[in-house]
Amino acid sequence: MHHLTALVTLLAIAFYFFTAVNVSRSRTKTGVKVPAMSGHPDFERAFRIQMNTLEWMPIFLPALWLFAIYISDAIAASIGVVWIIGRIAYFVGYSKAAAKRSLGFAIQSLAAMALWRCGWCEGPSAAPNSAVIPGRRIGAEPGISRFSGAQLRTIVRCFASPRNNAARHFVNGQPLSLAAKNALSPGTVASSL
């Protein structure tokens, strides 16, 4: 189980929620009415803090979980805490002035890059037999694809036609359109498809 990574995920989401509440408080304090997105520098900085945090969440969270699954829960959680500390430093600096956001941004982006880089290098392809992923054979000979031949044929058959024409799909050796006609003809039970 990945309890530490789950805890860090909840902390990251809680921090994001805090930034959203801060935007609401900033709106009230500065008098910027909904739906305006600009109007007062303090509000604009609070809004950018929230939006930048939101922009980084889909970069950070998948990397955090892939690292935890394939490498180490404890190390992933530790790097995740560094990311949150970077976001807090970003929040504090940017709240004061736009020029003071750089340190926090650097900390969190380095933490995210560490998760991505290490997860990429040490992930499922570098760790044979460490995990089972449906449709993949871990530890197979190196190559572009690790799908079985039958899976590849199915994929190619499904995507060979740019229009994904129904006549390309077969049921009981007949094109799907012909099988549907036969199923709907008198005396044929449709459930035989």
Side-chain angles (χ1 to χ4, degrees), residues 76-160:
S78 299
I79 297 172
V81 168
V82 170
W83 186 85
I84 293 170
I85 290 169
R87 292 311 307 173
I88 292 169
Y90 182 85
F91 173 85
V92 170
Y94 205 172
S95 293
K96 294 177 184 173
K100 295 184 178 183
R101 71 186 192 269
S102 300
L103 177 64
F105 186 85
I107 292 169
Q108 65 90 36
S109 61
L110 289 173
M113 283 189 261
L115 289 169
W116 272 109
R117 179 72 180 137
C118 293
W120 180 261
C121 293
E122 302 295 328
S125 62
N129 301 322
S130 63
V132 175
I133 301 173
R136 291 191 63 189
R137 293 179 297 152
I138 302 299
E141 59 282 340
I144 294 173
S145 175
R146 295 196 178 169
F147 290 96
S148 72
Q151 290 169 324
L152 284 175
R153 282 190 296 278
T154 302
I155 291 168
V156 169
R157 190 178 322 130
C158 289
F159 295 103

Side-chain angles (χ1 to χ4, degrees), residues 19-44:
T19 64
V21 169
N22 187 55
V23 169
S24 179
R25 283 189 296 167
S26 182
R27 254 187 210 285
T28 303
K29 181 180 171 187
T30 60
V32 176
K33 303 292 182 200
V34 173
M37 300 302 221
S38 62
H40 192 280
D42 290 343
F43 167 75
E44 290 173 10

